Amino acid sequence: MDVRPLRHFAAVAETLHFGRAAERLGMTQPPLSQSIIALEKTLGAPLFVRSKRSVRLSPLGEAWLPEVLAALAAVDELPTTARRLRDGQTGLLSLSFVSTADYSVLPDLVSRYSRAFPDVEIGLVEATSDVQIPAIVAGERHAGIIIPPSDRALPEPLAYQRLVSEPLIAAAPAAWIADGRLAVEDGMLAPATIVDAPLILFPRTVAPAFHDLVTGYFARLGRPAHIVQEAIQMQTIISLVSAGLGVALVPASLRNLARAGVAYVEVRDPPTLETGLAWRRDDDTPTLREMLRLVGV
């Protein structure tokens, strides 16, 4: 349906006078009357009850007027909406993230972005890096917070920006420290203690970079890691530590995840975990563009 007859109907409905409505619209009365008649023919019912002295809305016209006014207001708003979409001030940003980011960079990043662009809907999905990377390549996500491969090699057309690097610390059953099963020296777990401890770790299939970082640390200490349990979420790993099934090496930001029965202790010469943002180089989505600007790309 053409918008012009709707504007003609609204003008007549608001003035209840064809002459004044035509003047408001900047047209003559005959074409206005013809436009209303054509609209009524399209609808199959009269919009006005006319007499020689007055014009009033028909029951259909009275019921339809609010809908028409709302539709016209939406049409009038379209240019502004287009500009806001163009400038990334509204729309959708789809962002995936590894579970470790939930305790480090994710809250601050989302908070800053939301303050800058309160009308943008942020779709958050937690996923391991191996799931995120093909999803971003396929265009199913705008960006993802990932743990990059050790060689930083990502498939085309992905780009990458480091967000944070942090040391790993030990998450250990508090009771094991209290009863001396894990020795603490100068506020750190003794290397001889940690190499003999049962380890809880991400499976290598879902987190190869993190897995290799941890097992490489044990190799430097001269012992292979004694892995007794695997889990794909950091919260689950901490729960297993709380249950006394073993220790885990986790990012230092995991101290923000308080759990009864878990003690966080530094280790000597800790490995460093890097977390960063990955996105498609050819993705020109305005909301993504503003996210990249926020992180300094």
Side-chain angles (χ1 to χ4, degrees):
M1 181 175 287
D2 192 342
V3 174
R4 286 175 296 177
L6 299 183
R7 296 194 187 280
H8 298 167
F9 164 67
V12 177
E14 290 172 347
T15 61
L16 294 179
H17 192 284
F18 276 81
R20 287 196 292 270
E23 185 177 350
R24 175 193 291 187
L25 293 166
M27 60 190 301
T28 59
Q29 185 172 332
L32 175 59
S33 299
Q34 293 169 8
S35 176
I36 297 298
I37 291 171
L39 182 58
E40 291 174 323
K41 183 178 293 186
T42 298
L43 298 175
L47 292 169
F48 298 97
V49 178
R50 305 164 177 85
S51 70
K52 291 183 177 181
R53 294 186 176 182
S54 67
V55 176
R56 60 184 175 85
L57 285 164
S58 69
L60 171 61
E62 188 171 353
W64 199 42
L65 179 60
E67 304 292 335
V68 171
L69 293 177
L72 291 174
V75 169
D76 291 339
E77 186 64 22
L78 285 176
T80 299
T81 300
R83 287 191 293 271
R84 288 171 55 78
L85 287 167
R86 178 200 65 196
D87 296 339
Q89 296 176 350
T90 188
L92 171 67
L93 176 70
S94 178
L95 180 68
S96 52
F97 62 96
V98 290
S99 62
T100 53
D102 201 13
Y103 305 95
S104 58
V105 296
L106 181 67
D108 178 66
L109 180 59
V110 171
S111 176
R112 288 164 55 206
Y113 186 86
S114 295
R115 288 197 303 269
F117 305 100
D119 295 329
V120 172
E121 177 187 354
I122 305 175
L124 294 173
V125 178
E126 182 177 335
T128 53
S129 298
D130 68 308
V131 173
Q132 290 191 59
I133 290 171
I136 300 168
V137 170
E140 297 169 7
R141 299 279 180 268
H142 292 129
I145 300 175
I146 66 168
I147 296 171
S150 56
D151 59 2
R152 305 295 188 276
L154 292 173
E156 286 293 338
L158 294 190
Y160 174 79
Q161 169 75 25
R162 182 180 69 85
L163 295 177
V164 65
S165 293
E166 55 182 327
L168 298 187
I169 61 174
W176 291 13
I177 294 176
D179 64 17
R181 274 181 282 178
L182 292 175
V184 177
E185 299 174 352
D186 299 326
M188 298 182 181
L189 278 187
T193 293
I194 195 169
V195 294
D196 291 329
L199 184 68
I200 304 168
L201 184 59
F202 284 104
R204 193 178 191 282
T205 53
V206 301
F210 189 90
H211 187 282
D212 292 351
L213 190 67
V214 173
T215 55
Y217 177 70
F218 278 81
R220 290 203 310 273
L221 295 178
R223 299 275 188 87
H226 176 40
I227 302 171
V228 295
Q229 291 286 340
E230 292 183 332
I232 64 172
Q233 288 188 320
M234 192 56 72
Q235 299 94 318
T236 305
I237 289 176
I238 297 302
S239 293
L240 295 174
V241 172
S242 176
L245 296 184
V247 302
L249 291 185
V250 300
S253 57
L254 257 289
R255 286 191 176 100
N256 296 322
L257 176 56
R259 185 66 58 87
V262 177
Y264 294 104
V265 189
E266 294 181 8
V267 299
R268 297 188 186 280
D269 301 319
T272 300
L273 179 70
E274 180 176 313
T275 304
L277 191 70
W279 70 95
R280 287 180 60 105
R281 299 179 192 275
D282 59 353
D283 190 343
D284 59 355
T285 302
T287 52
L288 172 62
R289 182 187 64 231
E290 295 306 319
M291 165 66 80
L292 295 178
R293 185 177 299 171
L294 194 69
V295 300
V297 175

